[in-house]
Amino acid sequence: MSGGLVVLGWPQVGLAFVMVLVVLLLMVATRVGRRGEMLWACLRMTVQLVLVGLVLGWVFAHPSWWLTGLIFALMQVFAVATILGKFRGRLSLALRRVVVLASTAGTTGAVAWFLFVVVGLSPWYEPRYVIPIAGMLIGNSMTGITLGLKALVDGMRENRDAIEDALGLGAAPRAAIAPLVRSAFESALMPTINSMLGTGIVFLPGMMTGQILAGVDPMTAIGYQIAILLGIVGAVGTTVFLALVLGARTYFDARDRLRDDRIR
């Protein structure tokens, strides 16, 4: 016990793996496959988190603007690469550029507003705040863009004839594709909305739980959690909106004709 915090040693962490073994035994008993994948995921997660913990421990002890900026940039690159990796061969070059712009601009703006205006962080590069908060906002935005783009790409392929009919009747590209963009935007926001609806009653979010376990006053932890969830909503909404509105325009040429070569 240290300062009210129960510190978990590696033996206790090892005991937590017993729960995984129970699940593996249940999978064997019910002849469910993917047992190796389950075990590999647990081991890989453990190794990754240990490495991240070692890196963050050093970074927190040696704060610098360039190192914090570098980590933030790497997080952005990884997020964009993950999004693009989900759509191999299905996104045109123009749409891939939109993903880079929307993800980078949307999340950078949201992170800057949250840290500098809401939190009032000083110095601005304090890694103990920048890295975890940026990770939450960028991670959720990555998921939102992926869901929104999937709905847009699939919708363009499935509704190509309806969009062409609307264009043939004189509708502007924006109007012809508006229902599809609206539906994709709703699909991308739904997980975030559902998460907020269940917060506090169905479950306690990880950030709030971690602060409470660390001895922070519950009301202080709640204040941070509310602000974080609102920041996530802003980041997801902004990035997805930019990705969908700008991305939808890439399906039309300069003369407002549908580009069949970009529908995949």
Side-chain angles (χ1 to χ4, degrees), residues 140 189-200 202-203 205 229 232:
N140 281 275
L189 288 178
M190 194 53 62
T192 303
I193 295 173
N194 288 338
S195 176
M196 287 194 298
L197 289 172
T199 299
V202 180
F203 66 94
L229 288 174
I232 288 173

Side-chain angles (χ1 to χ4, degrees), residues 33-66:
R34 310 185 74 171
R35 296 185 291 273
E37 186 177 346
M38 160 77 84
L39 184 58
W40 169 245
C42 292
L43 293 175
R44 176 173 171 173
M45 173 272 297
T46 302
V47 172
Q48 288 176 167
L49 286 179
V50 169
L51 292 176
V52 167
L54 293 173
V55 171
L56 290 182
W58 189 90
V59 171
F60 290 170
H62 305 83
S64 65
W65 67 268
W66 69 268

Side-chain angles (χ1 to χ4, degrees), residues 5 9 14 54 69-70 72 76 79 85 139 143 160 164 178 213-214 216 221 227 230 234-235 249:
L5 174 64
L54 293 173
L70 176 62
F72 180 78
Q76 293 280 19
T143 301
R160 176 191 311 185
E164 288 184 332
L213 290 175
V216 174
L230 296 177
R249 191 68 188 91

Side-chain angles (χ1 to χ4, degrees), residues 11-40:
Q12 288 97 326
V13 174
L15 290 173
F17 275 91
V18 172
M19 293 183 282
V20 177
L21 293 178
V22 170
V23 175
L24 288 173
L25 290 174
L26 292 174
M27 295 174 74
V28 171
T30 55
R31 298 181 181 180
V32 173
R34 310 185 74 171
R35 296 185 291 273
E37 186 177 346
M38 160 77 84
L39 184 58
W40 169 245

Side-chain angles (χ1 to χ4, degrees), residues 78-87 99 103 141-142 145-146 149:
F78 179 80
V80 170
T82 301
I83 296 170
L84 297 179
K86 298 285 186 179
F87 298 93
V99 171
S103 178
S141 297
M142 179 182 71
I145 293 178
T146 301
L149 270 184

Side-chain angles (χ1 to χ4, degrees), residues 163 167 173 177 248-254 256-259:
I163 294 171
L167 293 173
I177 205 172
R249 191 68 188 91
T250 65
Y251 285 98
F252 301 90
D253 62 20
D256 292 341
R257 295 175 302 186
L258 192 62
R259 295 194 55 163

